[in-house]
Amino acid sequence: MLSFFSDQIDKHKAVSEEEKTLNDLEQSEGSHFPGDDYRPSDRKNWMAGLDVEKLTLSKIVWPGTHDSATNDIGIPLVSRPLAECQTLSIYDQLVLGTRVLDIRVQEDRHICHGILTFLSETHSEIIILEMRTEYGHKDPPEFETYLADKLGQFLIQQDDNLFNKAVSEILPKRVICIWKPRESPKPSRGGLLWNSDYLKDNWIDTDLPWKKFQSNLKHLSEQQPISSRKYFYRVENTVTPQADNPVVWVKPVTDRIRKHARLFISQCVAKGCGDKLQILSTDLIEEDFVDACVGFTHARIEGKV
């Protein structure tokens, strides 16, 4: 018993030390970067608010959400705090400015109608929609056909030349749908759906914020510049509750790193990998996170990066 309490104290100290390291770094070096003062006038239509003739996919820093469809999951004050990575609905996330969604599906083939509603209300916003089968479940039957039926008019066909095209050249198509089945064959190149080769990351399972921050920078620095890549690369500005830690609710754990999104962008610039940052995802997305991504995107269009 004494050993258990000693371990818990040590884990609490480790988290506190890592939080202090991040806070000290932000205090000493700041969190400024090109475009950090930019605020979109309309987050729901922030791509339209930029110059879509100049806005190529390679210039976008895509604000994304982790485990996007978990709002209102579970029982309030019981299981919900353990699993709710987003408090906003899919539709509200998109209105706020989210442009990359991470959605887990089960055998029932359920798709959030909020996506279609958002697409019907906007005209120039492009979305990356990652669909993957939830752990422990089977792939939905004939899911490729189902997605093509529901989203067909909006789907952007897989094309390696797409990355350097301007948004204006891609419209009116608006959805890059990446389907990651567990057992079914992955989508073929050149089809309406993109396969897992086109969305990469280096996720690590930790609740330590400085460890995750460093890992994100290291793996990002090892990527090619966006202009040379033919895939999307995601950095998740999140940490994950651990079962053996005294704090297991999502919000207090992920807040350890979530508040340092601007610091991460500034460190990317300082470390010479600002031209590699592409998708930045978060738990519990808020306006300031979107503004940071859009601001850096605006700076790229203006040639300030």
Side-chain angles (χ1 to χ4, degrees):
M1 182 64 71
L2 288 176
S3 175
F4 171 79
F5 283 112
S6 177
D7 286 345
Q8 297 303 306
I9 292 171
D10 289 342
K11 289 172 182 175
H12 177 72
K13 286 182 178 178
V15 169
S16 297
E17 289 173 0
E18 296 220 353
E19 287 185 293
K20 184 178 185 302
T21 299
L22 277 171
N23 289 332
D24 288 349
L25 178 63
E26 185 145 10
Q27 186 172 17
S28 63
E29 298 193 18
S31 56
H32 296 293
F33 53 85
D36 63 359
D37 58 345
Y38 181 84
R39 299 292 184 274
S41 59
D42 179 5
R43 295 184 184 89
K44 183 177 181 179
N45 293 282
W46 67 259
M47 287 187 181
L50 302 175
D51 188 341
V52 294
E53 300 287 338
K54 295 181 180 179
L55 180 60
T56 61
L57 295 197
S58 61
K59 286 187 171 70
I60 299 172
V61 180
W62 303 76
T65 51
H66 163 247
D67 219 345
S68 307
T70 53
N71 66 298
D72 295 338
I73 194 172
I75 303 171
L77 301 178
V78 181
S79 58
R80 183 171 299 170
L82 302 172
E84 189 178 47
C85 297
Q86 306 297 331
T87 56
L88 298 177
S89 68
I90 292 293
Y91 172 78
D92 287 338
Q93 289 174 46
L94 291 168
V95 169
L96 187 72
T98 301
R99 292 297 177 264
V100 181
L101 297 170
D102 159 25
I103 297 179
R104 326 295 171 85
V105 296
Q106 301 179 7
E107 293 90 334
D108 60 7
R109 303 195 307 185
H110 176 70
I111 291 184
C112 300
H113 294 289
I115 298 170
L116 294 172
T117 302
F118 176 79
L119 290 170
S120 71
E121 293 176 354
T122 57
H123 302 286
S124 302
E125 307 305 299
I126 292 180
I127 300 168
I128 299 176
L129 175 61
E130 179 194 20
M131 308 289 294
R132 49 176 152 164
T133 304
E134 183 67 89
Y135 179 78
H137 290 266
K138 295 181 179 180
D139 297 327
E142 300 180 356
F143 198 55
E144 281 196 50
T145 303
Y146 177 79
L147 285 171
D149 179 59
K150 294 293 183 183
L151 299 170
Q153 64 175 312
F154 298 108
L155 290 175
I156 299 169
Q157 188 171 356
Q158 187 279 316
D159 178 4
D160 284 355
N161 297 315
L162 188 76
F163 295 90
N164 291 315
K165 287 186 177 181
V167 169
S168 59
E169 296 180 75
I170 300 168
L171 299 174
K173 302 299 185 182
R174 313 229 338 259
V175 178
I176 296 170
C177 185
I178 299 171
W179 166 225
K180 296 183 176 182
R182 287 196 172 274
E183 298 177 353
S184 305
K186 65 182 184 180
S188 302
R189 290 171 60 88
L192 285 177
L193 304 183
W194 300 51
N195 65 46
S196 58
D197 295 340
Y198 291 97
L199 178 56
K200 301 180 181 182
D201 57 36
N202 291 99
W203 180 80
I204 63 168
D205 186 12
T206 182
D207 64 352
L208 297 174
W210 177 236
K211 180 179 180 180
K212 183 64 176 288
F213 193 94
Q214 286 183 301
S215 175
N216 283 343
L217 274 177
K218 173 182 178 294
H219 288 298
L220 181 63
S221 70
E222 294 168 351
Q223 304 302 310
Q224 294 178 322
I226 299 171
S227 59
S228 302
R229 294 202 301 252
K230 300 299 182 183
Y231 60 88
F232 295 98
Y233 185 79
R234 173 172 55 200
V235 173
E236 290 198 355
N237 191 56
T238 63
V239 285
T240 310
Q242 303 296 303
D244 61 350
N245 196 289
V247 181
V248 293
W249 285 15
V250 170
K251 187 179 187 307
V253 172
T254 201
D255 277 354
R256 298 168 186 168
I257 195 170
R258 185 169 69 102
K259 60 188 176 183
H260 294 297
R262 286 182 175 269
L263 174 64
F264 183 79
I265 297 175
S266 71
Q267 285 295 296
C268 287
V269 175
K271 302 295 184 185
C273 54
D275 62 341
K276 300 178 179 183
L277 183 61
Q278 191 170 33
I279 297 174
L280 188 60
S281 291
T282 186
D283 290 323
L284 307 172
I285 194 164
E286 294 179 335
E287 293 174 347
D288 187 67
F289 181 88
V290 172
D291 291 352
C293 294
V294 178
F296 198 43
T297 300
H298 181 258
R300 282 176 171 174
I301 295 174
E302 296 295 311
K304 298 178 180 179
V305 180

